[in-house]
Amino acid sequence: SIPLSFFAGIGGASREGVLVKGSNYLETLSQTRYVVFDKTGTMTEGVFEVAGVYDNTLDREKVLEYAALAESSSSHPISRSLQKAYGKEIDRTRVTDVEEISGHGITAKVDGVSVAAGNYKLMKKLGLSYSETDKVGTIVHIAIDGSYEGYILISDKIKPTSAAAIKALKKAGIKGTIMLTGDSRTVADSVAAELGIDEVYSELLPGDKVAKVEELLARKGSKEKLAFVGDGINDAPVLSRADIGIAMGAMGSDAAIEAADVVLMDDNILKISSIMRIAGKTLQIVHQNIVFALGVKVLVLILGALGMANMWEAVFADVGVALLAILNAVRLLSNKKD
């Protein structure tokens, strides 16, 4: 009754395009009451485009050239967007002394000129004044040869299914939705407001995300579970620490997929509510099968002891009950809502 129902539940999830790595994760999903999301690549498409260069004294093309070359050794989506905006072939022989500062940005030398590209924290670290802005998007501040040379605004689009996914989760009984991001407070608050997310924590370093999830885990009830949804290599520690980790399968990093307990094969977060519904239905059928099987067997045992049951009742209590439990579990292979 129990393993068969869980196997059917995992099969039903796979029909939805969701990989569940074990039956125990279905049970955890059915108890999940809080869902924490990473922003970039999870709630947003993770496809960045340069929207403009501001407060620059050098030509726009020159600022983009320095930024693109300095970031050329990075595979981060923001780095790729800078290289795309530059639009020319990257000659990495022009770049030396590259240093990536976690949670800040990159410093390097381009044609012997010192270049720093990153967030405001990097500018503070270098002791440089920088322009404040209320523009919504990812801000990459640029310093060239020790002098501040403006900032590049990079935009990222929200996934069309994100808002519907949040609504579906709340309808499914989720008590709280939380978003964690390393982006600026302005960007994070704007995205959270548009999607209807309950809480948002911004400007977090990779290590800060783990600490924040630890805090959220301590805050929830003992019988309530917390899920984390992410896609990047930096999300792997958080995916492992949460009660259940959910990774993006199409665009997610190998480390995130390996660390996760559940993988969304097409990156559609709208399916999180579907898999939670399947998990709840699985546990419901498990309980139905247990109660029915034990109930019938106990009843036939009592009737047998009283001399009121013959061989046919005994066959039904054994084989018949098993067949009915199988047929009940097979209902999980259907994705129709009850």
Side-chain angles (χ1 to χ4, degrees), residues 304-316:
L306 297 174
M308 299 172 64
N310 58 27
M311 181 62 70
W312 291 112
E313 282 80 3
V315 169
F316 175 76

Side-chain angles (χ1 to χ4, degrees), residues 298-310:
V298 169
L299 178 61
V300 172
L301 280 172
I302 294 172
L303 291 175
L306 297 174
M308 299 172 64
N310 58 27

Side-chain angles (χ1 to χ4, degrees), residues 107-142:
T107 61
K109 285 189 176 181
V110 179
D111 298 332
V113 177
S114 298
V115 177
N119 56 26
Y120 74 92
K121 295 177 184 177
L122 180 61
M123 297 299 108
K124 282 186 175 181
K125 186 179 180 68
L126 297 175
L128 299 173
S129 58
Y130 58 92
S131 298
E132 298 281 357
T133 179
D134 58 358
K135 290 183 173 64
V136 177
T138 300
I139 306 297
V140 179
H141 295 282
I142 304 295

Side-chain angles (χ1 to χ4, degrees), residues 44 68 114 116 120 129 143 158 178 198 244 260 270 289 294 300 323 332:
T44 63
S114 298
Y120 74 92
S129 58
I158 294 174
I178 304 103
D198 300 321
I244 188 159
L270 192 57
N289 283 349
L294 292 179
V300 172
L323 289 174
L332 288 164

Side-chain angles (χ1 to χ4, degrees), residues 34-99:
Y34 297 91
V35 182
V36 183
F37 297 91
D38 175 50
K39 183 183 81 68
T40 304
T42 304
M43 307 307 291
T44 63
E45 294 182 353
V47 179
F48 294 89
E49 293 182 353
V50 172
V53 180
Y54 301 90
D55 293 349
N56 52 306
T57 54
L58 290 177
D59 289 341
R60 176 182 184 276
E61 288 72 20
K62 199 65 178 175
V63 173
L64 285 173
E65 180 181 1
Y66 277 121
L69 287 167
E71 295 267 7
S72 62
S73 61
S74 174
S75 60
H76 192 280
I78 289 177
S79 302
R80 291 199 294 267
S81 71
L82 290 170
Q83 295 170 42
K84 181 180 177 182
Y86 173 49
K88 298 178 183 178
E89 187 177 351
I90 300 292
D91 183 3
R92 295 192 179 182
T93 60
R94 298 170 58 187
V95 186
T96 57
D97 300 337
V98 178
E99 181 184 0

Side-chain angles (χ1 to χ4, degrees), residues 169-191:
L169 285 171
K170 290 181 177 180
K171 189 176 179 180
I174 295 300
K175 290 184 178 180
T177 53
I178 304 103
M179 186 175 76
L180 308 181
T181 179
D183 276 353
S184 67
R185 186 173 183 177
T186 304
V187 177
D189 289 347
S190 173
V191 171

